[in-house]
Structures are given as C-alpha cells and as structure tokens.
Amino acid sequence: MKKEIAVLEGDGIGPEIVAESVKVIGAIEKKYHHEFNLTYAPFGASAYFQCGSPFPDETKAICDRADVIIKGPVGLAVEEMNRIPAEHRPEIGAILPLRKRYDTFANFRPVRLPKSLAFFSPLRPEIIGDGIDILMIRELVGGIYFGEKTEGPSTDMAFSRDDCMYDDALVRRVAKVAFDEARRLGTQMTNVHKANVLATSRFWTAVVEDVARDYPDVPYASVLVDNAAYQLVKNPRQYNGVMLLENMMGDILTDQAGGVIGSLGLMPSACVGPEKSYVEPAHGSAPDIAGKNIANPYSMVGSIALMFDRCLGLTDEGRDIWTALFSLYEDGFVTQDLAGFGQRGARVLSCSDFGDLIVERILAD
Ligand code: IPM
Ligand code: MN
C-alpha cells in the first residue's frame, strides 16, 4: 500500500511521542512492504507563534492532500497560552476546525486494561476482574462544542450562552457506527444520555432507539450520564463492549476512563470522517514534562494502531502494534507515568527507549 500521511506534531510532548510513532510506522512499512510518505506541518500553539495561526493555510493544504492525518496533542503552559488571543487558541482555532473540516464525527476511544495489568488502575484488582475492554464512541462534530456562543453585551447584563443542537442525521450516523461496531465485536451497546433533563438528550436517545430496531441481535442498554460516571468507577466491566456518547459527555467520561485504567497516557483515539480521518491521543500536551524524554508514547502509538486498523483497513498491522505494546507492559517495561503502581520489578524506560522496544518487537515476530 502507498499512502500520504500528514504529520502534525503539535506542542509540549507532541513532537516526542510523534517521533516514536514515526519509528513504528517505519517498522510497519519495512515488515509489510508498504510505502508511507510523511509530510510535517505546523499545528497548535507553537504554530500560532511561528505562523500567526494555530491551523495555517499551508497545513490545511497538506492535510487536504493527505490520505490520513496524525496529530499530536496541542497547547502550551498557561503563561504562553495567555499570550494567544482567544480565537487563535489551539482548541477553538485548530482542533475544532480540524474536526469540522473533515467532518470527523466518530471518535473511537478504546479503554483497555487486561487483567494482568490491573495494578495500573487506582481501583482494586477485584474491580478490574477479568479486565476492562470498553470502546467509547464519542460524537465529535455536534452538540454544545459546535453550537452558537453568545456573551452578554455589557457587564451589567453579564451572561453567556452555549447552544446545544443535534439533528437526526448527526445522531443517526454515529449511532449506526456504534451498533455496527458492537455487532462486529459481538458485544452490547450502551447509550449514555441525560434525557431526564435535556431536550437534546431525549431527542438523541429517541434516534438511537430507532436505529436500535435495525440491530435486534445487539444487546442494547441506556444509562444516565451521571449514573454512568458513578458506575464506571464502581463496576466498569459492566460496560465492556461499546458505549455511545454525545460530544461533551464523551469528552468528560473518556478522561474519567483514563483515570480508571491508570493514566491518560493509555488513551489513544481515532477521529473518523466520511472521507478523511485523523488520529490523536485523547490527552493534552503535558508542557510540564515536555522535552524530558519521559512521556508515555502509548496513546500516540496506539493511535497509529487505530490508524492502520480503522482508517486504512490494515488489520494485521494494527494488531502487531497492540501486541507489541501490551507485551512490553506484561514484561514489566513502563514509562514514568505508570511506574510505582505496585508492579514488582518494573523497569522504567524513557519515551524513546520505549519506542525502540516497540519497534524491535514488531519486527521480531
Ligand atoms: C479532547 C480534548 C479536546 C476536546 C479539547 C482540547 C478541545 O479535550 O480531545 O478530548 O474537548 O474535545
Ligand atoms: Mn478531552
């Protein structure tokens, strides 16, 4: 296979964890005789300081030409972020426009912790039981994040307002993705909502339940979002399978899920659109540890596995990466974020040494 890949390194630890992912792409290229042509482009807060925009036109053109996009986390330390005008901050000025541009409506955020790695979790091993394996699917281009934002005209009329809107098409397409996935995996599909209060959630759930009629073979459940937050900590395994969440609920509960399995460094993601997709870790750019070569590359490298599997249809390649990642943990290799979690004889590696071992294992088997 021959593909064009745009590489947006981002800020903070972005360039370090992206560098490890690029090594992994090289290993897959070599092992499977693919040809990937990588084009780097500025994106995020550092792009704003370099080019005056967090998502420069040149980057848009490179992404338009690419088959798939790899994106590192973005954002700098508070003092630097304060020097960026609100509309050019990377969240509003880069990430949301990237999602909109390619209509990447289905955000896959797998939450995986096998039984053997239960000690990574702050929860007791008996709660992790046989392991957590939840695929959270977050709607990514609708809802309150993309609704109109209004701010009060003056201080004596101070108010602000964010509109939340979902229409039938927006809900239906992501619900289909979630049910298809649950059918493929042979699991249940759990819909998360707040239909006891929100009109958008009542509507969301009605559409999801209409779609459910086409999937009588897929066990369906629904849960209020506040209860889901509670249950995720008390008994996360009950959600093994697929969970479908609208944009903001998905943002919040996927971070919580990172906490449940022990680190946001264990949260990769793929943002899939009708024509183009991009991959990114679900976490931020950790400016406090940037440049120290201690970041955990798992979420970025796992995102590359998702890229192969979900975006390019290269299942074996994706599986090789997962196997290498989990085998390293099984053998006691960790980066600093997962050190000292009660694993006996853990060997703490730098970001780049961890990446080298992933490559070694991909090529060895
Ligand atoms: C995420 C992030 C983004 C979001 C921010 C950085 C805009 O938190 O991908 O989860 O809210 O979606
Ligand atoms: Mn988030």
Side-chain angles (χ1 to χ4, degrees), residues 181-214:
E181 206 52 47
R183 180 177 273 168
R184 193 175 74 91
L185 297 169
T187 63
Q188 61 179 344
M189 205 307 272
T190 307
N191 173 45
V192 179
H193 64 88
K194 185 69 186 169
N196 55 352
V197 176
L198 300 178
T200 43
S201 244
R202 276 193 291 278
F203 176 76
W204 168 282
T205 297
V207 177
V208 170
E209 293 185 352
D210 190 42
V211 175
R213 281 193 259 279
D214 294 333

Side-chain angles (χ1 to χ4, degrees), residues 99 107 109 138 145 247-248 250-255 264 280-284:
R99 292 175 181 168
N107 181 206
R109 293 191 165 178
R138 169 187 175 195
Y145 288 16
N247 203 343
M248 185 157 111
D251 188 21
I252 297 169
L253 288 195
T254 55
D255 262 40
L264 271 178
E280 65 179 354
H283 58 69

